[in-house]
Amino acid sequence: MKVLAFSGRNVKEILRDPLSLLFCLAFPVLLLLLFQLIVSAIGEDALQHTPQFAIEPLSGSICVFSYSFSMLFLALLVAKDRSTAFLTRLRSSPMRTGTFLAGYALPMLPIMLTQTAVTYLLGICFGLRFSVGLLAGIAALIPSMLLFTAAGLLLGSLLPEKAVGGLSSVIINVAAILGGMFLPLETIGGGLLIAAKCFPFYHEIKLYTLALAGETEGLGLALGVIAAYLAATAAAALLSMRRRLGED
């Protein structure tokens, strides 16, 4: 009940900034429209050389990319609360640190789910067809939602409000490049591919594409890497917020 009550308060804070919320929801729509215009301009034959721009893999990549903006949104919310007297009130509250973090995280999950739904519903207009593989791919996006949520909590608990935007922008760009969302990393290969495999973003897209294709080989590795990053990020966020709250 405490988590739900605190989540309700955070929902109200989110609704006080409708432009940011609208951007989070409209961004995947604009991005999907942009790429469809590019595909129509270069011709569908070009998809043989750039398969990541086909509607099925592209929809998942756009979803993962849009989650990074939700991460920024969440980090700003947490950092803003830390910069006000609200943090003092939190210290005197009987709630534990984990409860606070869960209260911040819960409102973001419906936003990410809405981003996903909007992207795939629009994808239908561009020839996206639902299948068992597509449903498996959508389910494979859940670890990405959780990881970006944990990252938002960590950034918000570590950084001042003015610094959140800068570092979040770096993470967003790194995620786009090293995730292979819009670049054929497997084709490029070399040092870029090796570097990409050291970060979770590549494995997030890999997990989605493997689930989409119904392939099981490599699923465990991709999921394991994401789970490891998720555990480390969540633990770091918990320790950081615990220190901010002065909790033993």
Side-chain angles (χ1 to χ4, degrees):
M1 294 301 293
K2 292 179 180 179
V3 173
L4 294 178
F6 187 54
S7 295
R9 175 263 174 192
N10 291 326
V11 168
K12 293 178 182 178
E13 289 296 317
I14 291 172
L15 294 177
R16 287 180 182 177
D17 190 9
L19 289 179
S20 296
L21 181 60
L22 180 62
F23 175 78
C24 280
L25 298 179
F27 178 76
V29 172
L30 296 175
L31 200 58
L32 184 58
L33 289 173
L34 174 62
F35 275 100
Q36 289 307 304
L37 287 174
I38 294 174
V39 169
S40 64
I42 64 177
E44 294 190 3
D45 292 339
L47 294 178
Q48 296 178 359
H49 305 287
T50 54
Q52 70 272 18
F53 292 150
I55 187 62
E56 290 84 2
L58 179 63
S59 297
S61 296
I62 288 176
C63 285
V64 173
F65 192 48
S66 64
Y67 300 156
S68 64
F69 285 90
S70 295
M71 172 198 70
L72 169 61
F73 194 27
L74 175 58
L76 287 172
L77 175 62
V78 177
K80 181 180 178 181
D81 283 346
R82 284 181 41 236
S83 66
T84 65
F86 184 69
L87 185 61
T88 303
R89 296 197 296 271
L90 287 182
R91 288 194 181 102
S92 61
S93 170
M95 289 195 296
R96 305 291 292 179
T97 304
T99 304
F100 289 125
L101 293 180
Y104 281 117
L106 281 180
M108 300 310 300
L109 295 179
I111 292 176
M112 292 180 175
L113 289 172
T114 302
Q115 289 175 316
T116 305
V118 167
T119 301
Y120 281 96
L121 288 174
L122 181 61
I124 295 176
C125 300
F126 297 107
L128 181 67
R129 295 182 179 181
F130 279 93
S131 63
V132 174
L134 186 63
L135 293 177
I138 294 174
L141 293 173
I142 295 176
S144 297
M145 298 182 195
L146 297 177
L147 180 55
F148 278 112
T149 299
L153 294 173
L154 177 59
L155 292 175
S157 62
L158 277 178
L159 303 175
E161 185 178 0
K162 292 183 179 180
V164 165
L167 185 55
S168 295
S169 297
V170 172
I171 295 175
I172 290 170
N173 283 285
V174 169
I177 296 172
L178 298 185
M181 299 176 187
F182 314 119
L183 289 175
L185 288 179
E186 301 290 345
T187 302
I188 296 173
L192 184 61
L193 180 59
I194 294 173
K197 290 181 178 181
C198 296
F199 290 87
F201 316 114
Y202 169 85
H203 298 280
E204 289 176 333
I205 301 300
K206 191 70 173 179
L207 181 65
Y208 170 76
T209 54
L210 288 174
L212 184 67
E215 299 179 7
T216 57
E217 184 178 356
L219 274 177
L221 175 61
L223 188 58
V225 172
I226 298 170
Y229 269 94
L230 174 58
T233 305
L238 182 63
L239 291 174
S240 177
M241 183 59 79
R242 182 173 292 172
R243 182 173 61 85
R244 297 290 183 184
L245 295 174
E247 183 180 304
D248 297 327

